[in-house]
Amino acid sequence: MRDFEYYAPTRVIFGKDTHLQTGALLKAQGCHRVLIHYGGESALRSGLLKEICRNLAEAGVEYITLGGVVPNPRLSKVREGIDLCRRENVDFLLAVGGGSVIDSCKAIGYGVANPWTDVWNFFLKTETPRACLPIGVVLTIAAAGSEMSDSCVITNEDGWLKRGSSHNSLCRPKFAILNPRLTYTLPRYQTESGCVDILMHTMERYFVNSETMEITDSISESLMQTVIYNARILMKEPGNYNARAEIMWAASLSHNGLTGCGTGGGDWACHQLEHELGGAYDVAHGAGLAAIWGSWARYVYRENPERFAQFAANVFDIPGGRDFEKTALAGIQAMEDFFRSIEMPVSLSQLGLTLSEEEIHRLAFKCSFEDTRTIGVFKQLNMKDMEKIYLAAR
Ligand code: NZQ
Ligand code: ZN
């Protein structure tokens, strides 16, 4: 196993009505003025935003608001947030929403706290942030895991580049309020897309080609089984509290580092491939991952069929034998069947994209940073490999 450091400093408050603790939590943080950052219509429509504002006012916490974060959050909104926070002397950011809103908050936090450079440089990785404004989260969708993660992903409209920043742990939220009931209003597509993202955050860490730890494997395999089981329940019963709760906690655990302990950090090729789709075609992140995972898996599994066979046996109860290749392929098939069963795409065309060879070439060119980098560790992929995987996913 590999040496590792596990650092998950976010205070988690989990359960019904927990969002009503927001004001008190902010008060305890000793902040002067809070920016409440949110997305499109959902928090307005459900009344959540109003409830949070009232809660802060009752606790005597000063705040301003900024909405309009879209999925695949944009750099222009980040810049608007940075200007606003500077003008209004904001010293704490409260995200009311999902991964997109939280990531927009993280980028704003970087921008305000590092006035010596332009915030996009942190996503180009030409500069490293030295500080970040403190962040709190009221989560409304279980998916990205940004509520406990150290990373954020922003799309620059100039070139439609979607790039991540995970330089250090500066941006991990101080607290995350997880009330499963706040996710009842999600459209089914978003719920299930979120479930795929949660699975992927564990699979990216699981499919590595080095020795791993038994305890991490067991945690990962049971987390995946739990997500698969409850994602199916939510197809029929969106108001099932227990299923919502299992999925919500799985989302945080899947991306706070726990499922990567001892595995050396993970593969992340599918995420890199998907980020190009999200940046260029604005697809839902989890759905984009579902559309390419099978093609990636079939392209790479021969590097270590035994690992895929372990996945098949321990996650899908597929009887293992000495024929690791056969078991591996059955496991890949089972995961794709699961994606189909929750109405997630298993190809780019099912994702709604009809891409020409030229467009696929452009995706691979961007993903490989103009043919200057490889991605993945289970199998290192160069630009040609990326192109083949996108083509196989058509
Ligand atoms: O904007 P509103 O109206 O709120 O609608 C949102 C949005 O359209 C809606 N929604 C959220 N909560 C809702 C709701 N609708 C009804 N009821 C609710 N309770 O859902 C849609 C998707 O929201 P978004 O925040 O985009 O979803 P998600 O949490 O999946 O975040 C996706 C973003 O996170 C990034 C992705 O790349 C993508 O940009 N990721 C961030 C990571 C991180 N920071 O650690 C890791 C991930 O791998 C991921 O890359
Ligand atoms: Zn993800």
Side-chain angles (χ1 to χ4, degrees):
M1 73 189 74
R2 302 280 181 89
D3 295 346
F4 66 88
E5 180 179 323
Y6 178 61
Y7 180 61
T10 303
R11 179 174 175 190
V12 173
I13 297 105
F14 194 103
K16 297 165 193 143
D17 293 332
T18 45
H19 62 294
L20 299 176
Q21 297 179 39
T22 312
L25 284 161
L26 287 166
K27 195 86 186 161
Q29 290 283 331
C31 47
H32 161 74
R33 184 175 286 161
V34 176
L35 174 74
I36 303 177
H37 202 27
Y38 62 97
E41 289 292 308
S42 79
L44 290 169
R45 236 185 357 248
S46 66
L48 174 63
L49 194 74
K50 216 169 168 182
E51 233 181 328
I52 294 290
C53 289
R54 194 169 47 228
N55 187 258
L56 265 59
E58 281 167 7
V61 176
E62 239 183 79
Y63 65 87
I64 57 171
T65 62
L66 177 64
V69 179
V70 294
N72 298 311
R74 309 289 199 261
L75 182 61
S76 57
K77 179 58 71 179
V78 169
R79 294 199 191 287
E80 187 186 336
I82 294 169
D83 290 345
L84 182 65
C85 288
R86 285 192 183 135
R87 259 195 334 269
E88 298 284 338
N89 292 321
V90 166
D91 59 359
F92 200 100
L93 304 167
L94 180 70
V96 179
S100 295
V101 174
I102 303 168
D103 286 5
S104 189
C105 267
K106 289 177 175 179
I108 292 171
Y110 278 149
V112 175
N114 299 276
W116 47 273
T117 189
D118 182 73
V119 67
W120 187 243
N121 289 334
F122 303 138
F123 295 84
L124 293 176
K125 298 182 177 62
T126 52
E127 304 273 11
T128 306
R130 297 172 198 153
C132 186
L133 282 192
I135 295 164
V137 173
V138 178
L139 191 66
T140 64
I141 170 173
S146 187
E147 66 276 8
M148 289 187 85
S149 85
D150 69 349
S151 54
C152 62
V153 193
I154 296 293
T155 297
N156 187 342
E157 298 96 320
D158 183 8
W160 295 103
L161 290 178
K162 185 171 176 180
R163 294 287 177 261
S165 158
S166 44
H167 291 284
N168 45 41
S169 276
L170 295 173
C171 70
R172 284 192 203 258
K174 300 287 174 215
F175 65 80
I177 295 180
L178 310 187
N179 175 355
R181 280 185 174 161
L182 299 183
T183 65
Y184 284 1
T185 49
L186 278 166
R188 193 157 81 178
Y189 188 79
Q190 289 296 342
T191 295
E192 302 300 340
S193 173
C195 290
V196 175
D197 195 19
I198 299 166
L199 284 171
M200 282 300 310
H201 291 157
T202 290
M203 286 199 281
E204 295 275 24
R205 293 172 167 95
Y206 186 88
F207 288 109
V208 290
N209 238 334
S210 53
E211 251 183 81
T212 53
M213 291 181 82
E214 263 175 48
I215 188 163
T216 300
D217 280 359
S218 305
I219 290 169
S220 298
E221 287 156 0
S222 93
L223 192 154
M224 288 189 269
Q225 285 192 319
T226 301
V227 173
I228 289 166
Y229 181 76
N230 288 288
R232 286 196 171 118
I233 292 179
L234 291 178
M235 286 295 286
K236 295 196 199 95
E237 301 170 45
N240 184 316
Y241 180 83
N242 288 344
R244 289 280 182 195
E246 300 283 356
I247 294 287
M248 198 168 220
W249 189 220
S252 301
L253 295 184
S254 209
H255 203 36
N256 74 353
L258 180 68
T259 58
C261 291
T263 76
D267 181 83
W268 299 104
C270 288
H271 266 73
Q272 301 302 325
L273 292 165
E274 194 289 326
H275 283 169
E276 296 313 321
L277 297 173
Y281 304 109
D282 212 12
V283 297
H285 172 62
L289 290 167
I292 48 176
W293 182 79
S295 299
W296 169 84
R298 287 193 183 86
Y299 194 78
V300 306
Y301 79 96
R302 280 195 192 88
E303 296 295 309
N304 187 350
E306 202 171 339
R307 186 68 174 158
F308 270 91
Q310 180 186 333
F311 166 80
N314 292 355
V315 178
F316 287 107
D317 297 324
I318 294 169
R322 293 312 302 166
D323 191 344
F324 293 135
E325 288 229 359
K326 191 171 155 210
T327 316
L329 284 170
I332 296 169
Q333 183 68 43
M335 185 53 95
E336 283 195 324
D337 288 345
F338 164 69
F339 289 158
R340 285 190 195 93
S341 77
I342 57 167
E343 293 174 11
M344 281 288 113
V346 294
S347 68
L348 294 174
S349 61
Q350 286 177 19
L351 184 63
L353 301 178
T354 312
L355 300 183
S356 66
E357 288 194 8
E358 177 52 37
E359 284 166 318
I360 283 192
H361 175 74
R362 212 173 306 137
L363 284 173
F365 187 64
K366 278 168 87 175
C367 190
S368 63
F369 293 179
E370 307 187 356
D371 205 8
T372 62
R373 70 153 179 175
T374 60
I375 59 170
V377 299
F378 192 83
K379 178 180 170 71
Q380 253 190 18
L381 305 170
N382 62 26
M383 189 179 83
K384 284 278 164 248
D385 297 314
M386 298 174 202
E387 216 167 339
K388 283 180 194 157
I389 292 170
Y390 282 131
L391 277 171
R394 276 212 291 188

